[in-house]
Amino acid sequence: MRSAGLWSSALALAAALLLPWYMVQDGILVLSFSNGGWLTDPDGAPALGLILTDGRWWLWPAVLAPVLGLVAALVPLPRPTRSWLFLLAGGVGLALLAAQGWSIGPRGWMILWLQGQFGETEARQYGIGWGGTVVSAALCVLFAAGFAGRGAFRGDAFTATVAVVLTIAIGVFTALPILQMMAGAFRDAGGAFAPTSAVTRLVDDRLWSLGCLAGAPRCGVVWNTLLLALLTATGTTALGLAFALLVTRGRLRLARPLRWLTVLPIVTPPFILGLGLILIFGRSGLLSQAASAWFGIELGRWIYGLPGLLLAQLFAFTPIAFLVLIGVVEGLSPTLEEASQTLRADEKITFRTVTLPLLLPGLANAFLLGFVESIADFGNAVVLGGSFNVLATEIFFAVVGAQADAGRAASLSLILLVLTLVVFFLQQRATGKKSYVSISGKGDAGLPPPLPKGVRRLCLAVAGTWAALTIGLYALAFLGGFVEVWGRDYTPTLRHFVKAFSIEGGQFTGLAWNSVLTTLELAAISAPITAALGILAAWLFSRTRFAGKGALEFATLLSFAVPGTVIGVAYLAAFNLPPLELAGTGAIIVACFVFRNLPVGLRSGMAAMAQIDGSLDEASHTLGGGGMDAFRRVVLPLLRPAIVAGLTYSFVRAMTTVSAVIFLVTAETELATVFIVNRIINGDYGLAISTSLVLIVLMLVVLGVMNLLVGSRRIGRRAVAVTAASPAPLPGAVA
Amino acid sequence: MTRAAEVRFENVTKRYGGTAKAVNDVSFTIPAGTLCTLLGPSGCGKTTTLRMIAGLEYPTEGRVLIGGKDVSALPPAERDVSMVFQSYALFPHMNVLENVGYGLTVSRQPKAKVREAARAALDSVGLSGFEERLPSELSGGQQQRVAVARALVLEPSVLLFDEPLSNLDARLRRRMREEIRDLQQRLGVTVAYVTHDQAEALAISDKIIVMNQAVIAQEGTPRDLYEAPANAFVAGFVGEANRLPATLSHRQGDMAQVTIGSATLSLPHRGAAEGAVQLAVRPEAVELLDVADPATTLRGTVAKAAYLGGLMEYTLTTEAGDVFVIDSHTQRQRGVGEVVGLGLGQRGIAVLPA
């Protein structure tokens, strides 16, 4: 506790004395470091320089709070007193810095009341830079150390730091933008406060009409969304389970290839599946043309609407259910099933009465994920929805369409949030407080039983069909990258690739290079941050009790439930102004990736944590290990599959997401997905597909390397000695 | 290891959430270098008490002192305490040597020293040669020993055991409890030991603290508890006891007249008031007599008889109720229906308030 306070104070002080407080427009490297000139340069000066040479007295907390922390850490004091001082220095310092940040903006006072109180000010403040960021972060740690000293979080500074940092991060990057967006629901188009218009929008017939049951052409958007989400979630959960069971217990020779096949849709930008479906089933699609030419049947536009959308979402989201479920199936202790079998239950009864109930938390989890993925999905809906409108596309069109009605978009988001809330609580109730601890501290052994024959056949049939469809879809969709013009001229060509990725004289002259490289860079930065935060959060939530845990957990989930379009708009609004002036930088995209993908890392971490007996952590504590030791040496190695899943998923989501970032990219930070969408809009399918293909190959390479690096977890269950295709060794092979 | 420390609880209460108390205003002392058992039925608060010594739970009220130092708010890592868990809590991803060396590894000891100390600890529990095994490749007894070695390697001043033998078979349990006792004597360490098995508690303890419904029912040496139980719960929980209704009269000094059925005995009244009382009678304290004087003995009829090799077990029907008797005279076996006298001496009989 004392050492945490000491180093955090020291770090904060160093940052306040040396690092530029504000964001330096052209990068920190342009400053003149050689003669110390930056210390007083108004653009690049650290906090102390600004106070002394520019009269910015309101930055004093950045210097004084760390000094107080340092004094408290160094002077011999009783533990309670020192803790109080840490709390005071960290908390008040942080609060004062936040207050000044949001009070004085680029045009002086940001709050009218303050202007009335103090009169005009000459001071102008822009976004905070390295100095402001490091000082704030270090003060968070100091505050947490104080908390720990008061006995909170078992007196452990590491645990307290994780909790405090997570709370503040979630608050700033998830809760704040969304709350601002929600507040927008109660404003009219002009931005004035108008609660009545919110009510009008919420009961809109376009949302709630059940007309389609009575023969009208369409139902309300809400019903459409719910129906689609229910079908998708059920379908993906069933498919994911079939795959997970087959891969782990099916004793299949094909287990490996099957794993890789399920990965394909994850590494595919979402709209590519939609595009592929159109290329096959659309009006000029292969199948439709064949049907018309050979049988004279006009298949028409059936693919646009619920059937096509459902199909695309099943392809897109089954792998997520699979990723969630495979961790759970692999973590299931075979001893329990062996126990059941020795109790005269045959394979079938064991499967029904032991295996399935033990999988329930995982199933509920997968269903929840499928549900929110479906209602948040924008890419497929915009490509395949046709006249079947869902909330995500309605919001998008409300923001960017001819309506440009931010209030309506916010109202729709509100409904979406309530839907998510309901699903969330249902899931909580379904899994309840039952404990499904499978990895106990007592080393256990045993072989997972083979699947009952009926179940195996069913899984094979379902998964086989799905796999065949996937292969077909990809094969045909990617042929589109190698022909002149789909539907008209099927001459083979490589010209799309040359156009996208040519290199002349050492220069990347291809059109796609810039966006692909940017995407790789930002995804590579965000994936480890996401995985680390997710695992830390999972550990925190499942191993400690503290006030507000439930709220924090929900806030973490929140950004996942909100459609990317809304997040994008919310981020743009929230981070366009100082002190957090991130719009236009790569940082805002990384933040968006991290906090949007955090819930998945969190969920898979939680599912894995639920299977690790808490006495393992306790054993580490009683053996003198701090919170960090328990986390690093005990939990982390046992969580490897969850970490792989988290890393993998956050990386590929970052590479393939489009809805959230479409508002955040600039010419410099253009992402590959946005590039591809723009090509599709221009009708340049060849270029779009060839870029996608390169993107997918890149992802597969990165994933393979990641999988090798992280390796598999070693807990010494007896290996399943069957055919060459042993399913045991690589839980992370999904990655 | 000479740093054994005293453990003291001062008016400790532990509440979870609402008003239900897991431990209610409990005070006791475990003298340094002794083995003290926390004995009680499940849910009595003994494990919570142990976890509060370890620092895995914090008292809601009151103080916990180890070696005279108030540790009530200290995290487990800052207490000089090690624990052996009921599930052993061996880290499944580490081999035996890594498990045992864990405590030293996290206290940043040099690797060579960790390995040396871990080997020594493994040697002390007789597991040399198992260093490279994973926990899942060991038998239950071996896992138990690894857990003990892992706790010992830090040379803690207090060692905690949470029902360490509950996962072992009876024969192994007896051997392991002897080993734990030997180890404790050899190292002179303070041990707090949670169990619900009274035989285990009697066999190894210097002191036993019997808990029931979140409070201490009685504490003392095994002999105190067995021969002078403070109440009916302790009499019934520690060893077996027949509880018979009786009447107390004529208190004089420490002694009083106790009437049970037709017989009248002179027994220490142990503070009981005149009037109705209970007698706790140990099964082996009853002497079976062929000739009985109704003024000093009960008469009973044999209802059940069982031959157990070294001794006989009888259930006798008497006017004071059924009495369970253990008789070591196996040669003089009594048949069902036989009428016998029940001789009650002063040993093995305790007067309890009704």
Side-chain angles (χ1 to χ4, degrees), chain A residues 611-643:
Chain A
Q611 299 191 326
I612 300 176
D613 190 352
S615 71
L616 292 179
D617 293 46
E618 290 176 350
S620 170
H621 288 309
T622 61
L623 289 167
M628 189 155 11
D629 289 305
F631 178 74
R632 190 166 63 88
R633 295 172 192 274
V634 177
V635 176
L636 215 52
L638 292 173
L639 279 182
R640 272 192 180 159
I643 296 169

Side-chain angles (χ1 to χ4, degrees), chain A residues 109 126 147 151 179 193 234 259 313-314 320 336 377 395 400 409 422 488 512 550 556 559 614 617 670 731:
Chain A
W109 294 114
Y126 303 98
F147 245 128
L179 286 178
F193 183 68
T234 313
R259 270 177 195 258
Q313 289 198 342
L314 283 182
I320 296 160
L336 300 172
D377 177 33
I395 293 167
V400 303
V422 172
R488 264 178 281 155
T556 316
S559 61
D617 293 46
E670 185 180 37

Side-chain angles (χ1 to χ4, degrees), chain B residues 192-352:
Chain B
Y193 188 106
V194 161
T195 182
H196 62 260
D197 180 343
Q198 49 94 18
E200 200 173 303
L202 289 174
I204 61 168
S205 309
D206 293 308
K207 175 178 179 177
I208 298 176
I209 297 172
V210 182
M211 293 189 71
N212 187 33
Q213 297 181 346
V215 297
I216 294 180
Q218 187 178 3
E219 56 180 300
T221 63
R223 187 174 284 273
D224 286 343
L225 294 183
Y226 193 78
E227 294 182 357
N231 51 48
F233 173 80
V234 175
F237 198 80
V238 181
E240 284 196 75
N242 296 290
R243 295 220 299 268
L244 305 174
T247 312
L248 189 135
S249 57
H250 300 94
R251 279 172 60 129
Q252 200 164 40
D254 287 340
M255 305 299 280
Q257 301 284 321
V258 179
T259 311
I260 171 165
S262 60
T264 302
L265 310 166
S266 180
L267 293 171
H269 58 70
R270 307 196 325 133
E274 294 195 1
V277 292
Q278 279 192 341
L279 276 189
V281 182
R282 298 292 179 196
E284 70 281 3
V286 179
E287 195 184 355
L288 297 185
L289 306 166
D290 296 322
V291 187
D293 172 5
T296 55
T297 53
L298 275 173
R299 286 173 68 81
T301 313
V302 176
K304 289 176 196 162
Y307 172 71
L308 293 175
L311 39 84
M312 293 293 303
E313 282 184 3
Y314 297 105
T315 304
L316 305 169
T317 313
T318 74
E319 53 188 313
D322 282 358
V323 179
F324 175 68
V325 175
I326 295 174
D327 185 18
S328 55
H329 300 101
T330 49
Q331 298 310 311
R332 177 73 180 85
Q333 185 165 343
R334 298 171 196 271
V336 172
E338 196 173 328
V339 177
V340 293
L342 286 74
L344 302 168
Q346 291 201 351
R347 203 184 55 79
I349 300 185
V351 175
L352 301 170

Side-chain angles (χ1 to χ4, degrees), chain A residues 79 154-155 439 441-444 545 613 615-616 618-625 629-630 633-634 637-638 714-716, chain B residues 51 56 58 75-78 81-83 85 87 89-94 102-103 105-106 108 134 136 143 150 154:
Chain A
R79 191 183 169 103
R154 277 197 182 143
I439 302 176
K442 197 174 176 226
D444 69 340
R545 281 168 293 185
D613 190 352
S615 71
L616 292 179
E618 290 176 350
S620 170
H621 288 309
T622 61
L623 289 167
D629 289 305
R633 295 172 192 274
V634 177
L638 292 173
R714 175 182 139 213
I715 51 176
Chain B
R51 290 168 61 84
L56 296 170
Y58 294 119
E78 290 174 37
V81 164
S82 289
M83 179 154 165
F85 289 79
S87 65
L90 299 179
F91 305 124
H93 56 297
M94 300 180 192
Y102 182 86
T105 310
V106 296
R108 316 283 182 263
L134 286 174
S136 56
Q143 291 184 14
R150 186 176 70 177
L154 285 172

Side-chain angles (χ1 to χ4, degrees), chain B residues 20-140:
Chain B
K21 290 172 180 169
V23 172
N24 189 2
D25 194 19
V26 160
S27 302
F28 62 81
T29 304
I30 303 176
T34 62
L35 194 157
C36 174
T37 312
L38 295 161
L39 177 66
S42 57
C44 70
K46 57 188 191 299
T47 295
T48 306
T49 304
L50 192 78
R51 290 168 61 84
M52 283 193 284
I53 304 177
L56 296 170
E57 311 270 358
Y58 294 119
T60 320
E61 289 160 30
R63 302 201 303 161
V64 177
L65 294 99
I66 297 178
K69 190 173 146 228
D70 185 355
V71 297
S72 308
L74 277 191
E78 290 174 37
R79 302 183 184 197
D80 192 8
V81 164
S82 289
M83 179 154 165
V84 176
F85 289 79
Q86 182 172 13
S87 65
Y88 312 144
L90 299 179
F91 305 124
H93 56 297
M94 300 180 192
N95 66 26
V96 167
L97 198 68
E98 288 165 342
N99 259 291
V100 175
Y102 182 86
L104 295 168
T105 310
V106 296
S107 25
R108 316 283 182 263
Q109 301 280 343
K111 273 195 181 136
K113 201 188 152 196
V114 172
R115 216 168 299 133
E116 190 186 330
R119 275 185 210 284
L122 274 178
D123 197 41
S124 75
V125 297
L127 272 185
S128 298
F130 289 81
E131 289 86 351
E132 301 303 322
R133 301 268 192 102
L134 286 174
S136 56
E137 297 165 336
L138 299 177
S139 72

Side-chain angles (χ1 to χ4, degrees), chain A residues 386-476:
Chain A
S387 61
F388 184 82
N389 282 334
V390 292
L391 281 167
T393 47
E394 281 289 298
I395 293 167
F396 178 71
F397 291 125
V399 175
V400 303
Q403 322 168 21
D405 186 348
R408 178 167 147 79
S411 309
L412 292 168
S413 312
L414 200 65
I415 294 170
L416 206 47
L417 265 193
V418 172
L419 289 183
T420 319
L421 235 123
V422 172
V423 180
F424 181 65
F425 284 118
L426 281 182
Q427 189 247 9
Q428 294 293 306
R429 282 186 65 130
T431 52
K433 291 205 167 83
K434 290 178 204 160
S435 168
Y436 296 101
V437 171
S438 284
I439 302 176
S440 62
K442 197 174 176 226
D444 69 340
L447 301 174
L451 288 175
K453 286 213 173 57
V455 177
R456 187 166 184 270
R457 265 199 295 270
L458 183 71
C459 288
L460 265 180
V462 171
T465 314
W466 192 87
L469 260 173
T470 309
I471 293 172
L473 187 65
Y474 276 92
L476 288 175

